Amino acid sequence: MTKVSTYEIDIVKSPTSKINDVDFDNLSFGRTFTDHMFYCDFIDGEWQQPKIKPYGPMSIDPSARVFHYGQAVFEGMKAYKDDQGGVFLFRPEENFARINRSAKRLAIPEFPKDYFFKGLTTLLNLDKAWIKSGDGNSLYIRPFVIATDSAIAAAPSENYRFMIICSPAKAYYKGSVKVLIAEKFSRSANGGVGFAKAAGNYAAQFYPTNLAQQKGFQQVIWTDADTHTFLEEAGTMNVFFRIGDTLITAPTSDRILDGVTRKSIIQLAEDNGIRCDVRPITVNEIIEASKNGSLKEIFGTGTAAVISPVSAFEHHDSIYELPEITANSYSSILKKNMLGIQHNLSEDKHGWRYELK
Ligand SMILES: *Cc1c(COP(=O)(O)O)cnc(C)c1O
């Protein structure tokens, strides 16, 4: 068998573009997709020739293992365009490394780095017009891998498909959210898959989040599965607490996802002379701090919203309100810093921007 040269991507361009049908001022997150998609199949123990095709439905056997056992992982990243037309990614090496850490935990073969970057940059160059410059605009990028074997025996698949699809996004700002602290349900456990971006982690969160929403809360703050006393993540975001002038966020573990935004915010806090302690933090500690007035802020961090402030939290049927957000809130300062770097508006002293060539 001759091995195909996998380095060249087989490209079929879309004969027409859908871009003129899209109302870029009224995008709802993750519902509109660009003209092309990237994919690469893993067959006979090898990643095959990568391909780019017009975005659209694809045919998969109903017995494909992804449908039965949830063997799937994904990533979330963004591209930004500056006013000169330059396109930038933010720390994409981190997303590449993480999709392979997630893949390993789900018994999915690792995807080669050169395929990932060549696929990503070729796709972005083809669909560059979909990345709009200006405040809050970006292109959300979704790499993912699914198990494609036509076989429902409960075993890891032998065949997989790696894909990248892209969706234009506006600023993802829903105002501050009210959250419920989990007292019964858990997102993750020791030795589990909480650190991985496994598709099933999200499915497992939907029901408890629906219950929280029925009670008037937008999100759940997840606590440790054993005792429900340690604060771990907020919805699908990492979470930070400001007590006095110190930020606190939990250390990453089996149960806590190592967010690119989280680690960037920790660095930016340091750059701003804001102390940030990475240590376990308990529910009691924030309740005490709320009662004595030293709890100033709670915010979630993640690629989609960057920073999402919390206005109130509930625990044991008591509601604790947080102070109003101002321009001097740490969440406002750090979000502005992040967006400045991402949109190529400020100095990038840590080398986080990756310019599309
Ligand atoms: C993706 C994700 C995050 C945020 O990670 P970023 O790299 O900052 O986008 C946080 N928690 C969970 C559970 C996630 O899935």
Side-chain angles (χ1 to χ4, degrees):
M1 194 182 79
T2 45
K3 201 171 168 300
V4 251
S5 159
T6 38
Y7 204 65
E8 285 311 314
I9 301 175
D10 174 6
I11 301 175
V12 177
K13 280 197 196 166
S14 175
T16 56
S17 175
K18 299 171 291 189
I19 198 163
N20 293 326
D21 303 335
V22 175
D23 178 359
F24 280 85
D25 293 326
N26 291 296
L27 290 165
S28 82
F29 183 76
R31 288 188 187 272
T32 304
F33 295 91
T34 62
D35 291 322
H36 298 93
M37 59 186 189
F38 170 83
Y39 67 95
C40 183
D41 289 323
F42 186 84
I43 301 168
D44 294 335
E46 305 248 29
W47 290 103
Q48 306 293 312
Q49 170 146 34
K51 297 182 177 168
I52 289 178
K53 291 263 161 76
Y55 180 92
M58 56 192 189
S59 156
I60 299 185
D61 199 281
S63 65
R65 291 197 218 251
V66 63
F67 299 136
H68 305 274
Y69 306 116
Q71 201 189 2
V73 296
F74 69 94
E75 265 306 318
M77 53 204 293
K78 280 179 171 177
Y80 311 86
K81 192 178 268 176
D82 68 12
D83 290 337
Q84 289 72 49
V87 172
F88 300 87
L89 292 160
F90 184 74
R91 309 184 78 176
E93 305 254 346
E94 298 282 341
N95 300 92
F96 168 72
R98 190 170 64 193
I99 201 167
N100 279 343
R101 287 202 298 277
S102 300
K104 187 170 181 197
R105 180 62 182 80
L106 276 283
I108 295 172
E110 292 185 17
F111 195 62
K113 188 169 186 174
D114 53 343
Y115 289 23
F116 181 88
F117 278 93
K118 184 138 193 222
L120 180 62
T121 55
T122 309
L123 181 65
L124 290 178
N125 275 313
L126 274 174
D127 285 343
K128 215 172 186 171
W130 291 80
I131 315 171
K132 300 292 178 191
S133 62
D135 196 27
N137 294 326
S138 65
L139 185 72
Y140 184 81
I141 302 165
R142 168 57 57 90
F144 62 104
V145 196
I146 53 172
T148 51
D149 268 13
S150 308
I152 54 169
S157 190
E158 286 175 5
N159 301 299
Y160 296 87
R161 177 166 287 185
F162 176 97
M163 301 195 70
I164 305 177
I165 58 175
C166 302
S167 173
K170 289 289 286 178
Y172 191 79
Y173 186 70
K174 291 181 302 196
S176 50
V177 297
K178 283 165 59 180
V179 299
L180 193 118
I181 296 183
E183 295 174 49
K184 173 171 187 274
F185 294 102
S186 303
R187 193 191 80 85
S188 60
N190 289 333
V193 295
F195 71 90
K197 279 188 110 70
N201 284 345
Y202 282 61
Q205 282 185 226
F206 293 157
Y207 175 67
T209 307
N210 280 350
L211 295 181
Q213 287 174 353
Q214 282 160 22
K215 290 181 75 178
F217 299 89
Q218 286 86 42
Q219 273 303 345
V220 175
I221 292 202
W222 301 103
T223 49
D224 67 296
D226 285 344
T227 65
H228 295 294
T229 54
F230 291 97
L231 298 156
E232 303 208 317
E233 295 211 49
T236 57
M237 305 181 98
N238 294 111
V239 64
F240 287 73
F241 304 87
R242 174 182 173 188
I243 297 182
D245 287 335
T246 301
L247 283 175
I248 305 157
T249 191
T252 54
S253 67
D254 279 0
R255 304 190 305 262
I256 299 182
L257 193 125
D258 186 4
V260 181
T261 319
R262 172 188 176 278
K263 75 171 79 157
S264 306
I265 291 294
I266 292 171
Q267 180 64 55
L268 292 176
E270 188 187 313
D271 296 352
N272 279 282
I274 296 168
R275 178 169 154 195
C276 182
D277 292 348
V278 178
R279 63 162 173 85
I281 173 165
T282 64
V283 181
N284 281 343
E285 191 176 348
I286 63 162
I287 287 176
E288 282 313 306
S290 174
K291 286 179 177 160
N292 70 28
S294 61
L295 182 67
K296 303 271 170 55
E297 297 179 51
I298 301 179
F299 57 84
T301 64
T303 295
V306 185
I307 287 190
S308 173
V310 168
S311 60
F313 67 91
E314 193 246 43
H315 186 252
H316 283 337
D317 296 322
S318 298
I319 304 265
Y320 303 85
E321 304 276 349
L322 281 128
E324 290 281 322
I325 308 291
T326 69
N328 293 324
S329 298
Y330 288 176
S331 64
S332 313
I333 296 169
L334 296 168
K335 182 170 183 176
K336 199 161 173 250
N337 286 183
M338 273 290 274
L339 290 172
I341 297 172
Q342 290 170 333
H343 290 266
N344 193 30
L345 298 170
S346 55
E347 190 202 348
D348 176 26
K349 68 176 186 185
H350 301 292
W352 289 339
R353 274 194 299 261
Y354 174 105
E355 187 168 6
L356 184 72
K357 293 276 162 43

